[in-house]
């Protein structure tokens, strides 16, 4: 507990630390010294008698002293007051300057000099508050596409210059009264008060896209970036800065995911879309936590003899709330939120466990995405699981899409060479869609090419697709690779592919992906059909989703 003495010491310390009081004590001491000196001088020159004639009348030594002190104080007092006033006004000016600087710092982005997010929101709210009935205002959020790549490639100094030039180009396009702000690393926002029509923000967005399509010339380096823009309109989409910015961001999110356009206006269904995505993200995290995403298996068939030669493991997620979510949705989502590593491992482990019940000559094909390839531990982990389940590496086929190969050449090559070194087979998936060069194709350690479904779907009716299919089969044969056609849905497609020398096939014609538990029955059915076909010398296709081989 604090005693009165502690309090006194604390108070004393505070008082002594205060600038004003320190200055007062100093001034007091100075004043006393001056008074002392003046007093001594006065006595030395016998001044009391001459100067203080009035005081002499009293003939009282003590009174002289008092009068003298009073005179000194009457001079020192105003001097002290003036000095204090000057101190005070200097201090006030300093405070005002500091406040102004602080406001400047908190309201502006130091790199571009543009208003920052807070300042922007305040001005936007002011503008929205002043809107009359029938007025409309627009908010645009603008993001530089590919900025991270610029920084990775050229460094932060060039990145900063791009930001400054980008801001400058944008500022040059704005009419008076429009506010431009930098709201994040590569993000900007624009407030357009009082627009006459939606053409105004759309036109500005378009001009921004055009202006940014010209390369930035920084230190003799031509730097190219893209731009995505989301637009929200007040009062329809919101009447506060928070709602408007949020909705413009939702429109931006959509603009970024659609490549046909990089400008999007907010639409009310986007809210539902985002809410569903947030829900799905949560449910996906739960599903991974519970290890409830399982592989189903789609047969791969040898076109020579209609025999099932293997199965492709395809991840399936059935959620209590969302129902069946297709892998085309949840695989990219799991990549975005950093779950693909764990998810891929879980599904692969389950698939390896399931293969224990399979005949020993069947292979298992497993998909690996571009994001998974970036993990240098992927190949060692796959090999460790194979060992754990005693699944022989040559019975595993790893499917990598052509686009993942082309976009991540080095990561892909590293993982492929590691796996292939241990006997795992490598398949290039969705071939014909990713623009791999022949040189790239030759440089990868490949075993199989899977012709993309779109060519197979059109192979009968579209001459170009037939030419592509023939070329891919020829390429595979030429390099000693196996060719597989995916997405075979009818007899005509199948016979066309057979005629053109494709080795293996996959598709609804043979069967959709089935749960592990159905594989035994599927295989039994297949061998029965096989036997009866041999007996009957052929078999006609029928209904159902499994094994209707012609
Ligand atoms: P994919 O590797 O190209 O898989 C083939 C897709 O085509 C599968 O879709 C399959 O169900 C579908 N399909 C097969 N035959 C036919 C047919 O005759 N007609 C039509 N219209 N479609 C057919 P699914 O299962 O929806 O998988 C979609 C994609 O998701 C897969 O494309 C694959 O890229 C990815 N995927 C699935 N499972 C995994 C996984 O465990 N890991 C990773 N990384 N990706 C996976
Ligand atoms: Ca595949
Ligand atoms: Ca495919």
């Amino acid at each position: 507990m604090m005693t009165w003495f502690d309090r006194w010491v604390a108070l004393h310390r505070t008082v002594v630390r205060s600038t004003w009081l320190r200055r007062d004590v100093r001034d007091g001491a100075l004043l006393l010294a001056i008074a002392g000196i003046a007093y001594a001088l006065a006595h030395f020159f016998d001044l009391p008698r001459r100067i203080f004639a009035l005081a002499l009348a009293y003939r009282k030594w003590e009174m002289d002293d008092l009068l003298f002190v009073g005179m000194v104080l009457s001079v020192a007092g105003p001097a002290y007051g003036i000095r204090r006033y000057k101190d005070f006004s200097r201090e006030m000016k300093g405070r005002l300057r500091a406040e102004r600087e602080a406001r400047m710092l908190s309201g502006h982005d130091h790199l571009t000099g543009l208003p920052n997010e807070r300042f922007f929101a305040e001005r936007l709210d002011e503008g929205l508050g002043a809107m009359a009935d029938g007025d409309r205002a627009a908010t645009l959020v603008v993001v530089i596409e590919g900025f991270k790549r610029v920084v990775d490639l050229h460094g932060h100094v060039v990145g900063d210059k791009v930001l400054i030039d980008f801001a400058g180009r944008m500022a040059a396009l704005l009419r008076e009264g429009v506010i431009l702000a930098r709201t994040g690393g590569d993000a900007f926002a624009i407030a357009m008060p009082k627009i006459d029509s939606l053409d105004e923000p759309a036109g500005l967005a378009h001009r921004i896209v055009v202006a940014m399509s010209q390369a930035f010339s920084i230190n003799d380096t031509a730097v190219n970036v893209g731009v995505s823009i989301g637009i929200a309109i007040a009062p329809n989409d919101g009447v506060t800065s928070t709602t408007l910015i949020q909705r413009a961001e939702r429109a931006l999110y959509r603009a970024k995911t659609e490549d046909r356009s990089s400008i999007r206006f907010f639409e009310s269904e986007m809210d539902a879309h985002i809410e569903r995505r947030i829900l799905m993200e949560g449910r996906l995290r739960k599903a991974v936590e519970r290890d409830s995403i399982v592989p189903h298996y789609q047969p791969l068939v040898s076109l020579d003899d209609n025999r099932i030669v293997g199965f492709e493991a395809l991840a399936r997620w059935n959620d209590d709330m969302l129902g069946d979510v297709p892998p085309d949705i949840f695989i990219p989502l799991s990549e975005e939120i950093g779950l693909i590593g764990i998810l891929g491992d879980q599904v692969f482990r389950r698939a390896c466990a399931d293969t224990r019940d399979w005949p020993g000559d069947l292979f298992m094909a497993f998909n690996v995405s571009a994001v998974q390839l970036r993990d240098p531990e992927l190949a060692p982990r796959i090999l460790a699981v194979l060992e754990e389940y005693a699944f022989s590496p040559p019975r595993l086929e790893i499917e990598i899409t052509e686009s993942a190969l082309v976009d991540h050449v080095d990561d892909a090559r590293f993982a492929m060479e590691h796996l292939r070194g241990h006997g795992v087979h490598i398949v290039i998936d969705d071939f014909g869609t990713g623009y791999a060069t022949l040189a790239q194709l030759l440089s990868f350690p490949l075993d199989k090419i899977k012709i993309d479904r779109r060519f197979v779907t059109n192979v009968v009716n579209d001459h170009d697709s037939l030419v592509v299919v023939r070329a891919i089969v020829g390429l595979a044969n030429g390099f000693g690779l196996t060719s597989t056609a995916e997405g075979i849905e009818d007899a005509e497609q199948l016979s066309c592919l057979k005629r053109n020398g494709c080795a293996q096939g996959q598709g609804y014609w043979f069967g959709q992906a089935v749960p592990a538990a159905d594989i035994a029955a599927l295989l039994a059915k297949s061998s029965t059909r096989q036997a009866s076909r041999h007996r009957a010398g052929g078999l006609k296709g029928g209904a159902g989703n499994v094994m209707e081989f012609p």
Side-chain angles (χ1 to χ4, degrees):
M1 216 178 119
M2 249 189 166
T3 64
W4 67 267
F5 180 74
D6 295 330
R7 283 205 192 110
W8 186 83
V9 170
L11 181 70
H12 183 254
R13 281 207 186 117
T14 331
V15 165
V16 167
R17 273 197 208 125
S18 128
T19 329
W20 272 55
L21 219 96
R22 254 197 336 256
R23 213 176 286 153
D24 286 354
V25 168
R26 202 185 56 208
D27 284 356
L30 203 70
L31 208 67
L32 274 176
I34 292 170
I37 292 166
Y39 188 75
L41 284 174
H43 270 278
F44 185 75
F45 294 109
D46 200 16
L47 283 179
R49 205 184 312 248
R50 293 187 209 157
I51 299 169
F52 306 119
L54 195 66
L56 282 174
Y58 290 99
R59 286 270 160 236
K60 277 225 159 190
W61 184 233
E62 290 81 1
M63 271 308 278
D64 291 354
D65 289 347
L66 278 176
L67 210 67
F68 177 76
V69 169
M71 286 189 72
V72 168
L73 284 178
S74 69
V75 175
Y80 176 74
I82 290 168
R83 201 173 138 82
R84 270 298 69 86
Y85 174 74
K86 276 191 175 167
D87 275 345
F88 178 70
S89 63
R90 202 182 306 133
E91 198 154 311
M92 282 313 286
K93 270 187 202 155
R95 267 190 209 180
L96 285 175
R97 194 170 45 237
E99 240 169 64
R100 223 176 16 248
E101 274 168 13
R103 211 170 329 124
M104 176 75 183
L105 276 179
S106 67
H108 284 79
D109 163 48
H110 68 279
L111 182 72
T112 57
L114 291 176
N116 66 15
E117 193 174 14
R118 221 186 76 195
F119 186 95
F120 179 80
E122 280 170 14
R123 288 297 93 80
L124 183 57
D125 274 327
E126 275 170 22
L128 292 170
M131 266 174 39
D133 270 357
D135 280 357
R136 282 190 296 177
T139 299
L140 290 78
V141 291
V142 182
V143 162
I144 309 178
E145 296 296 343
F147 182 68
K148 190 181 168 301
R149 191 178 36 100
V150 171
V151 174
D152 288 348
L153 229 70
H154 305 288
H156 279 284
V157 177
V158 171
D160 284 355
K161 287 192 175 145
V162 168
L163 283 171
I164 294 167
D165 287 3
F166 190 95
R169 277 190 199 176
M170 234 179 339
L173 299 171
L174 306 180
R175 64 168 160 82
E176 214 174 305
V178 172
I179 305 166
L180 168 65
R182 183 175 171 215
T183 51
D186 56 2
F188 297 83
I190 296 171
M192 300 179 85
K194 294 221 173 102
I195 53 162
D196 292 329
S197 76
L198 297 186
D199 291 345
E200 273 188 61
L204 174 62
H206 184 69
R207 284 193 296 280
I208 293 173
V209 171
V210 172
M212 302 314 165
S213 64
Q214 314 261 334
F216 291 87
S217 171
I218 313 249
N219 303 342
D220 297 331
T221 311
V223 177
N224 285 292
V225 293
V227 55
S228 291
I229 302 173
I231 307 169
I233 305 295
N236 279 20
D237 301 335
V239 288
T240 64
S241 65
T242 316
T243 330
L244 270 185
I245 294 171
Q246 189 191 61
R247 295 196 150 165
E249 278 170 351
R250 289 185 177 181
L252 172 83
Y253 171 80
R254 189 55 83 79
K256 282 166 90 80
T257 53
E258 286 172 3
D259 17 272
R260 68 189 156 87
S261 157
S262 54
I263 304 169
R264 279 292 294 238
F265 277 88
F266 174 78
E267 291 156 22
S268 52
E269 43 75 50
M270 285 177 189
D271 265 346
H273 174 81
I274 297 279
E275 264 145 39
R276 187 174 161 81
R277 193 198 130 98
I278 291 167
L279 171 71
M280 192 177 284
E281 206 181 299
R283 301 297 301 173
L284 182 59
R285 284 185 197 283
K286 278 228 157 58
V288 171
E289 226 172 79
R290 294 177 185 156
D291 190 4
S292 57
I293 296 177
V294 296
H296 280 200
Y297 301 93
Q298 188 177 28
L300 283 133
V301 174
S302 156
L303 297 189
D304 269 351
D305 52 8
N306 292 324
R307 205 169 33 87
I308 292 180
V309 286
F311 287 95
E312 178 178 3
L314 293 161
R316 292 289 177 266
W317 175 28
N318 179 273
D319 182 74
D320 295 343
M321 281 173 80
L322 302 168
D324 282 327
V325 184
D328 286 337
I329 304 278
F330 72 79
I331 296 285
L333 179 60
S334 69
E335 289 179 340
E336 250 177 76
I337 61 177
L339 281 183
I340 186 68
I342 308 173
L343 173 60
D345 287 357
Q346 285 178 350
V347 177
F348 185 60
R349 188 170 276 280
R350 274 181 183 270
C352 285
D354 289 341
T355 58
R356 282 178 176 164
D357 305 328
W358 296 7
D361 59 340
L362 293 185
F363 66 81
M364 189 252 285
F366 194 80
N367 294 282
V368 163
S369 72
V371 176
Q372 287 171 282
L373 284 174
R374 266 183 244 153
D375 176 2
E377 291 304 311
L378 175 78
R381 273 206 313 272
I382 288 179
L383 293 170
V385 176
L386 289 182
E387 203 176 314
E388 190 183 329
Y389 289 92
F391 189 78
S392 152
R395 285 182 63 202
L396 176 66
E397 289 189 349
I398 289 292
E399 296 195 1
I400 304 172
T401 62
E402 186 190 6
S403 51
L405 278 191
V406 174
D407 294 346
H408 305 271
V409 177
D410 295 330
D411 300 326
R413 194 190 308 282
F414 176 79
M416 286 158 87
E417 280 171 356
H418 192 143
L419 289 167
R420 205 157 181 268
H422 287 78
V424 174
H425 289 139
I426 306 293
V427 180
I428 185 165
D429 200 0
D430 300 346
F431 192 73
T433 57
Y435 310 108
T437 63
L438 205 55
Q440 273 171 331
L441 204 64
L442 287 176
S443 73
F444 286 120
L446 292 177
D447 297 279
K448 191 188 260 190
I449 298 181
K450 252 181 147 172
I451 307 165
D452 190 68
R453 190 163 71 227
R454 84 170 70 159
F455 302 116
V456 176
T457 305
N458 299 317
V459 72
V460 177
N461 303 318
D462 174 44
H463 183 254
D464 289 354
S465 296
L466 179 62
V467 170
V468 172
V469 167
R470 277 187 186 145
I472 298 176
V473 173
L475 201 70
N477 289 340
F479 290 114
L481 310 173
T482 309
S483 53
T484 302
E486 61 179 17
I488 302 175
E489 289 185 353
D490 59 45
E492 268 185 291
Q493 291 166 353
L494 176 64
S495 56
C496 178
L497 288 155
K498 272 184 170 177
R499 259 200 321 275
N500 285 286
C502 190
Q504 292 178 0
Q506 177 185 15
Y508 295 166
W509 179 254
F510 301 114
Q512 294 193 14
V514 296
D518 295 357
I519 284 196
L522 186 61
L523 288 170
K525 204 167 167 184
S526 156
S527 51
T528 320
R529 285 185 194 284
Q530 192 96 17
S532 61
R533 184 179 20 251
H534 282 305
R535 280 198 302 276
L539 197 94
K540 278 265 172 287
N545 66 350
V546 280
M547 306 304 296
E548 295 301 339
F549 300 177

